[in-house]
Amino acid sequence: MSGFRFPIGRLPDEALLSGLATGDPELAVIFVRRFQHRVFGVAMAVTGDLQLAEDVAQQTFERAWRHAQIYDSRRGSVATWLTTIAHNLAVDAVRARRTEPMAPEGLDPLLEAVTETPEQWALADEASTQLRAALARLPREQARALTMAGIYGMTAQQIADAEQIPLGTAKTRIRAAMAKLRTALASPKRGDHVQ
């Protein structure tokens, strides 16, 4: 460890990730300690379940170790990369646990967790930030329909039944939400707004 220019606890995130990739146990421990609270926080915000969040955090560090060599600093910081992994694993874990669609009453807290949490700073990837912002600007009923279809895989008929609306209205809400997101994400530099 005498070859390092920095005290080992002050190494840049990229150096710790490289140490993780090479299997250096000391650097791996420092890497996990540096990011464990952030990773667990993202997992807990998405899952809402202590045990599941712990499992997701463990899987996140395992995946980071297995894929450390493909990290590309041009696409974001190590923290962003790691919290994106945690977020994606947490969403997958929630989906896998659900044997039936979520009750529509539970969608509002999920939409808030996706669009208005401190994790949006951690998940600073430009594309995901734009998507969350566009989703947050959708009318609530369109955001709910899109979430039910996109995240929970519900059909338009299931959405219509859950929301107690006509089938055509459910389809219109999904189509309108998708069109607005497509427009907002296709030309973000012009400052397009989702209405």
Side-chain angles (χ1 to χ4, degrees), residues 141-142 145 163 165 168-178:
E141 66 276 357
Q142 289 178 7
E163 297 285 281
I165 56 175
T169 302
K171 289 179 179 181
T172 299
R173 287 179 182 178
I174 295 167
R175 266 194 312 271
M178 289 299 294

Side-chain angles (χ1 to χ4, degrees), residues 57-79:
Q58 169 115 13
Q59 291 171 12
T60 300
F61 287 111
E62 289 171 2
R63 186 165 292 179
W65 170 67
R66 286 194 314 269
H67 298 288
Q69 68 279 3
I70 64 168
Y71 165 73
D72 183 358
S73 62
R74 294 172 297 183
R75 297 189 66 198
S77 67
V78 172

Side-chain angles (χ1 to χ4, degrees), residues 60-138:
T60 300
F61 287 111
E62 289 171 2
R63 186 165 292 179
W65 170 67
R66 286 194 314 269
H67 298 288
Q69 68 279 3
I70 64 168
Y71 165 73
D72 183 358
S73 62
R74 294 172 297 183
R75 297 189 66 198
S77 67
V78 172
T80 299
W81 178 72
L82 194 61
T83 54
T84 300
I85 292 171
H87 182 266
N88 292 340
L89 286 171
V91 169
D92 290 345
V94 169
R95 283 184 191 156
R97 276 198 153 179
R98 299 226 184 271
T99 56
E100 55 188 64
M102 174 182 251
E105 310 78 65
L107 286 177
D108 289 331
L110 176 64
L111 286 171
E112 288 172 16
V114 172
T115 59
E116 300 175 12
T117 67
E119 283 69 40
Q120 70 190 82
W121 297 303
L123 300 171
D125 177 70
E126 186 175 334
S128 64
T129 300
Q130 290 173 353
L131 178 61
R132 285 193 312 275
L135 183 62
R137 288 191 303 265
L138 286 175

